Amino acid sequence: MNRFVSVNGNVYRWPERPVVVVCIDGGDPEYLRRFLADGALPNIQRFVQEGYSAVATGSMPSFTCPNNMSIITGVPTARHGISGNFYLDTQTWEPVVMTGPELLRGETILAGFAEAGARVVSITAKDKLRRQLGKGLDVGQGHVSFSSEFADRCTLAENGIEKVLEYVGMPKPDMYSMELSLFVLEAGIRLLQDRRPDLMYLSLTDFVQHKWAPEEAQARHFYQRLDDAFGRLAQEDIVLGLTADHGMSDKSDAAGEPNVIWLQDILDAEFGAGETTVICPITDAFVAHHGALGGFVRVWSRGNVSVAAIIERIAALEGVDLSLDKATACRLFDLPEDREADVAVIARKDVCIGSSARLHDLSGLKGHRLRTHGGLTETRVPFILNRPLNSEYRQQVAHSEIKSYRIFEFAINGTL
Amino acid sequence: MNRFVSVNGNVYRWPERPVVVVCIDGGDPEYLRRFLADGALPNIQRFVQEGYSAVATGSMPSFTCPNNMSIITGVPTARHGISGNFYLDTQTWEPVVMTGPELLRGETILAGFAEAGARVVSITAKDKLRRQLGKGLDVGQGHVSFSSEFADRCTLAENGIEKVLEYVGMPKPDMYSMELSLFVLEAGIRLLQDRRPDLMYLSLTDFVQHKWAPEEAQARHFYQRLDDAFGRLAQEDIVLGLTADHGMSDKSDAAGEPNVIWLQDILDAEFGAGETTVICPITDAFVAHHGALGGFVRVWSRGNVSVAAIIERIAALEGVDLSLDKATACRLFDLPEDREADVAVIARKDVCIGSSARLHDLSGLKGHRLRTHGGLTETRVPFILNRPLNSEYRQQVAHSEIKSYRIFEFAINGTL
């Protein structure tokens, strides 16, 4: 009997063995380049040699939420609607948080499989993602959905699991620690061994990549620990897919100071205060390691200043790659029009864009160089499977560009 | 003994067996998608299953000359300098043809290997490419360089071969025929069997792809004939690499009329005649199948109109994706600044851009839909090797995006 599950128009086979997808938040290909070259990642090395690997294209803007939602729904941002952490409600002129499940359009692959009778697990580092990833998932049916951030508060009713710290055997990790990610993986390994779910999504956090460049020892140490965990996951006879939500670029100058364009200040000086609103869609509650600065921001006009004037002013700024009207941005990057700004702004690889200098707290950098993401240059992400492609998908990759939102599809339908 | 050849800073091993790279001009991945799906291409199918394949990124603008030069030099356009068929000499305000070898910066891979003692062959469909591809190649030393366009005029002194029509056993092909490409392949097969050169570059023409969409029988027939030739090439114990210079998109409306922006006319109306100059870098002597219309044009200001004003006017046009100043265009697309315009314009996938309506002759379309290239949407090209990657290059593709200009490097250094 062949069973199929259809989610958002994509058809998935019934997995023969558990499928585990890990999203290495901020997992820029540069980390792999360096650590594979020096032999530090024997398990990923084995997947690369025996399975399949490529550099895939992620969703724009290259932020965590849009890409996690693309991965978990299997469709581009225009379809699932989550194009950042915030958009501006032009009725109230207030920023609206987009990380709730109510704004996610369509169904998650996890919920689709759960409905069809599969057992699924979703574990994230930060709780902001947990609720969206868990959309439509009835944890009463044996599914699990929790974050390591709130690992100490899990209940059977809310998360399908309790006493997680004991279960995993690790203390509650700090929000700014590599353990926040490692906890996700250790919990995943344990659940895989105990419950052998059909589908598992493990989404990490990019604290390490924001803080440390590939040449720094802490980054290497983190990747070695990831590699060790990936090896133990792969031992459980699974299909393992590894990707990232976005890359990570150094955006500081030679002196170590962040290259920042304070766009709200510039637009206020040009057009007057209150005429335009800059939203930094990377903003969330935990921004110490990047100060809510990214490579992509959105600008709305209150109505008195023309979009063309805003675009022209921004395009003239040193450090801006693209300054696009709504229609062009949506067409080029497959974004939802109803949540897009009048102007979408993409910074150069070594530059980030903020709102007003007074609204960003950079004290959390504590002498570190600013590393962040959001632009075009951070859309390139690893796409690695521990098993080789089957003949159908070998053919696919001969004619189709690989989008990271297809990682579940490749893992489920595309491997031997 | 390990021998190495260094060309433009890239290091190549000495090939153990002949390396043959074919550039399928206009070989959009859509052709492969359709014809692989219906089993029409058994040889390419075998390469896909037994070798390596991916969709690679070509050079911008997605035209023939820039990409052929990228492929044959192994470096991006900013390095080799050939960013189109024409640029504007701002001293004389005259368009300068860029297809001569004197404007090509650096050395070709063929010339580098020839110098090191290898025997090399370069065959092109159109003669405009032949001279540039043959730069620095002394055909007196047993090398061969000719075009099927001038196959009847080859001399030992100029081309390293004579009586080519007899040798290949085909009549001289028409400039507007699929035989112009097939002649290149038949000549390559014959030379491979007779002389077994170390390196061979076979560059086709996109007459078929401009004229026929993947769903048309003539396109299928052409690809079947290509596939048959590729099979006979691969029989000769070679490394075969297949790529394309650019893709191809339909740029007509529902009624079959071309979607054209006549940019010079628009700019003349806005700023006055003579104030701006639009150059269509796709233009060459043989334009019947596309009327010199492509998805990318360059605009220079005579000095009275600001670049910002030109960009703003163009960005407001329906059908334009990007309107970029020189620095941004060069940064985003790795283009040479000294040959770039004040403004680089990239059309939407279904739109092309011309100069003045009166300067383009579309009569050559003869009722066909306009299919052409030049924009971002046509930078995705096939990248296929008949042999699997070695472990070093399996690792490469895990962390590096594949650029089509690396096809010789992959074929020479990267295969088992």
PDB file of all heavy atoms in Angstrom, chain A residues 348-362:
ATOM      1  N   ARG A 348      24.200  46.072   1.520  1.00  0.00           N
ATOM      2  CA  ARG A 348      25.407  45.405   1.037  1.00  0.00           C
ATOM      3  C   ARG A 348      25.851  44.371   2.062  1.00  0.00           C
ATOM      4  O   ARG A 348      25.526  44.492   3.242  1.00  0.00           O
ATOM      5  CB  ARG A 348      26.487  46.486   0.873  1.00  0.00           C
ATOM      6  CG  ARG A 348      27.565  46.212  -0.119  1.00  0.00           C
ATOM      7  CD  ARG A 348      28.395  47.475  -0.322  1.00  0.00           C
ATOM      8  NE  ARG A 348      29.132  47.813   0.880  1.00  0.00           N
ATOM      9  CZ  ARG A 348      29.709  49.005   1.075  1.00  0.00           C
ATOM     10  NH1 ARG A 348      29.609  49.958   0.156  1.00  0.00           N
ATOM     11  NH2 ARG A 348      30.367  49.237   2.174  1.00  0.00           N
ATOM     12  N   LYS A 349      26.621  43.388   1.591  1.00  0.00           N
ATOM     13  CA  LYS A 349      27.027  42.275   2.449  1.00  0.00           C
ATOM     14  C   LYS A 349      27.660  42.731   3.767  1.00  0.00           C
ATOM     15  O   LYS A 349      27.446  42.124   4.817  1.00  0.00           O
ATOM     16  CB  LYS A 349      28.018  41.377   1.690  1.00  0.00           C
ATOM     17  CG  LYS A 349      28.504  40.154   2.472  1.00  0.00           C
ATOM     18  CD  LYS A 349      29.375  39.281   1.577  1.00  0.00           C
ATOM     19  CE  LYS A 349      30.104  38.182   2.351  1.00  0.00           C
ATOM     20  NZ  LYS A 349      29.236  37.220   3.030  1.00  0.00           N
ATOM     21  N   ASP A 350      28.425  43.825   3.731  1.00  0.00           N
ATOM     22  CA  ASP A 350      29.165  44.232   4.933  1.00  0.00           C
ATOM     23  C   ASP A 350      28.474  45.350   5.713  1.00  0.00           C
ATOM     24  O   ASP A 350      29.095  45.980   6.565  1.00  0.00           O
ATOM     25  CB  ASP A 350      30.580  44.672   4.544  1.00  0.00           C
ATOM     26  CG  ASP A 350      30.565  45.869   3.602  1.00  0.00           C
ATOM     27  OD1 ASP A 350      29.572  46.025   2.859  1.00  0.00           O
ATOM     28  OD2 ASP A 350      31.527  46.655   3.616  1.00  0.00           O
ATOM     29  N   VAL A 351      27.208  45.579   5.420  1.00  0.00           N
ATOM     30  CA  VAL A 351      26.487  46.708   6.024  1.00  0.00           C
ATOM     31  C   VAL A 351      25.162  46.214   6.591  1.00  0.00           C
ATOM     32  O   VAL A 351      24.561  45.284   6.063  1.00  0.00           O
ATOM     33  CB  VAL A 351      26.227  47.801   4.950  1.00  0.00           C
ATOM     34  CG1 VAL A 351      25.322  48.908   5.475  1.00  0.00           C
ATOM     35  CG2 VAL A 351      27.536  48.382   4.437  1.00  0.00           C
ATOM     36  N   CYS A 352      24.733  46.831   7.697  1.00  0.00           N
ATOM     37  CA  CYS A 352      23.387  46.538   8.191  1.00  0.00           C
ATOM     38  C   CYS A 352      22.605  47.837   8.342  1.00  0.00           C
ATOM     39  O   CYS A 352      23.174  48.927   8.304  1.00  0.00           O
ATOM     40  CB  CYS A 352      23.435  45.773   9.496  1.00  0.00           C
ATOM     41  SG  CYS A 352      24.342  46.621  10.764  1.00  0.00           S
ATOM     42  N   ILE A 353      21.309  47.685   8.464  1.00  0.00           N
ATOM     43  CA  ILE A 353      20.428  48.840   8.490  1.00  0.00           C
ATOM     44  C   ILE A 353      19.607  48.802   9.765  1.00  0.00           C
ATOM     45  O   ILE A 353      19.030  47.773  10.123  1.00  0.00           O
ATOM     46  CB  ILE A 353      19.490  48.865   7.273  1.00  0.00           C
ATOM     47  CG1 ILE A 353      20.290  48.661   5.983  1.00  0.00           C
ATOM     48  CG2 ILE A 353      18.699  50.168   7.221  1.00  0.00           C
ATOM     49  CD1 ILE A 353      19.440  48.639   4.733  1.00  0.00           C
ATOM     50  N   GLY A 354      19.567  49.954  10.449  1.00  0.00           N
ATOM     51  CA  GLY A 354      18.739  50.088  11.640  1.00  0.00           C
ATOM     52  C   GLY A 354      17.702  51.166  11.434  1.00  0.00           C
ATOM     53  O   GLY A 354      17.648  51.811  10.380  1.00  0.00           O
ATOM     54  N   SER A 355      16.903  51.380  12.446  1.00  0.00           N
ATOM     55  CA  SER A 355      15.897  52.432  12.424  1.00  0.00           C
ATOM     56  C   SER A 355      16.571  53.727  12.917  1.00  0.00           C
ATOM     57  O   SER A 355      17.393  54.306  12.213  1.00  0.00           O
ATOM     58  CB  SER A 355      14.726  51.959  13.297  1.00  0.00           C
ATOM     59  OG  SER A 355      13.905  53.013  13.631  1.00  0.00           O
ATOM     60  N   SER A 356      16.284  54.147  14.155  1.00  0.00           N
ATOM     61  CA  SER A 356      16.971  55.297  14.744  1.00  0.00           C
ATOM     62  C   SER A 356      18.061  54.793  15.672  1.00  0.00           C
ATOM     63  O   SER A 356      17.863  53.811  16.394  1.00  0.00           O
ATOM     64  CB  SER A 356      15.995  56.120  15.587  1.00  0.00           C
ATOM     65  OG  SER A 356      15.152  56.865  14.761  1.00  0.00           O
ATOM     66  N   ALA A 357      19.176  55.494  15.676  1.00  0.00           N
ATOM     67  CA  ALA A 357      20.292  55.089  16.535  1.00  0.00           C
ATOM     68  C   ALA A 357      19.818  54.932  17.985  1.00  0.00           C
ATOM     69  O   ALA A 357      20.207  54.003  18.690  1.00  0.00           O
ATOM     70  CB  ALA A 357      21.421  56.106  16.442  1.00  0.00           C
ATOM     71  N   ARG A 358      18.924  55.812  18.410  1.00  0.00           N
ATOM     72  CA  ARG A 358      18.508  55.786  19.814  1.00  0.00           C
ATOM     73  C   ARG A 358      17.643  54.560  20.152  1.00  0.00           C
ATOM     74  O   ARG A 358      17.460  54.227  21.318  1.00  0.00           O
ATOM     75  CB  ARG A 358      17.756  57.078  20.163  1.00  0.00           C
ATOM     76  CG  ARG A 358      16.446  57.232  19.446  1.00  0.00           C
ATOM     77  CD  ARG A 358      15.715  58.534  19.744  1.00  0.00           C
ATOM     78  NE  ARG A 358      14.589  58.689  18.832  1.00  0.00           N
ATOM     79  CZ  ARG A 358      13.407  58.079  19.010  1.00  0.00           C
ATOM     80  NH1 ARG A 358      13.200  57.326  20.058  1.00  0.00           N
ATOM     81  NH2 ARG A 358      12.442  58.241  18.108  1.00  0.00           N
ATOM     82  N   LEU A 359      17.108  53.878  19.119  1.00  0.00           N
ATOM     83  CA  LEU A 359      16.220  52.737  19.382  1.00  0.00           C
ATOM     84  C   LEU A 359      16.955  51.408  19.422  1.00  0.00           C
ATOM     85  O   LEU A 359      16.360  50.368  19.698  1.00  0.00           O
ATOM     86  CB  LEU A 359      15.115  52.680  18.324  1.00  0.00           C
ATOM     87  CG  LEU A 359      14.166  53.875  18.290  1.00  0.00           C
ATOM     88  CD1 LEU A 359      13.146  53.713  17.157  1.00  0.00           C
ATOM     89  CD2 LEU A 359      13.443  54.024  19.632  1.00  0.00           C
ATOM     90  N   HIS A 360      18.236  51.412  19.090  1.00  0.00           N
ATOM     91  CA  HIS A 360      18.973  50.145  19.057  1.00  0.00           C
ATOM     92  C   HIS A 360      20.000  50.119  20.179  1.00  0.00           C
ATOM     93  O   HIS A 360      20.770  51.065  20.339  1.00  0.00           O
ATOM     94  CB  HIS A 360      19.679  49.967  17.710  1.00  0.00           C
ATOM     95  CG  HIS A 360      18.736  49.756  16.567  1.00  0.00           C
ATOM     96  ND1 HIS A 360      18.463  48.515  16.042  1.00  0.00           N
ATOM     97  CD2 HIS A 360      17.985  50.639  15.871  1.00  0.00           C
ATOM     98  CE1 HIS A 360      17.591  48.641  15.041  1.00  0.00           C
ATOM     99  NE2 HIS A 360      17.285  49.920  14.922  1.00  0.00           N
ATOM    100  N   ASP A 361      20.014  49.043  20.902  1.00  0.00           N
ATOM    101  CA  ASP A 361      20.962  48.880  21.997  1.00  0.00           C
ATOM    102  C   ASP A 361      22.072  47.934  21.546  1.00  0.00           C
ATOM    103  O   ASP A 361      21.843  46.736  21.379  1.00  0.00           O
ATOM    104  CB  ASP A 361      20.233  48.301  23.218  1.00  0.00           C
ATOM    105  CG  ASP A 361      21.192  48.038  24.364  1.00  0.00           C
ATOM    106  OD1 ASP A 361      22.373  48.451  24.266  1.00  0.00           O
ATOM    107  OD2 ASP A 361      20.760  47.418  25.350  1.00  0.00           O
ATOM    108  N   LEU A 362      23.243  48.492  21.312  1.00  0.00           N
ATOM    109  CA  LEU A 362      24.356  47.665  20.836  1.00  0.00           C
ATOM    110  C   LEU A 362      25.278  47.230  21.973  1.00  0.00           C
ATOM    111  O   LEU A 362      26.328  46.641  21.726  1.00  0.00           O
ATOM    112  CB  LEU A 362      25.155  48.420  19.768  1.00  0.00           C
ATOM    113  CG  LEU A 362      24.360  48.833  18.527  1.00  0.00           C
ATOM    114  CD1 LEU A 362      25.277  49.413  17.463  1.00  0.00           C
ATOM    115  CD2 LEU A 362      23.596  47.643  17.955  1.00  0.00           C
TER     116      LEU A 362
END
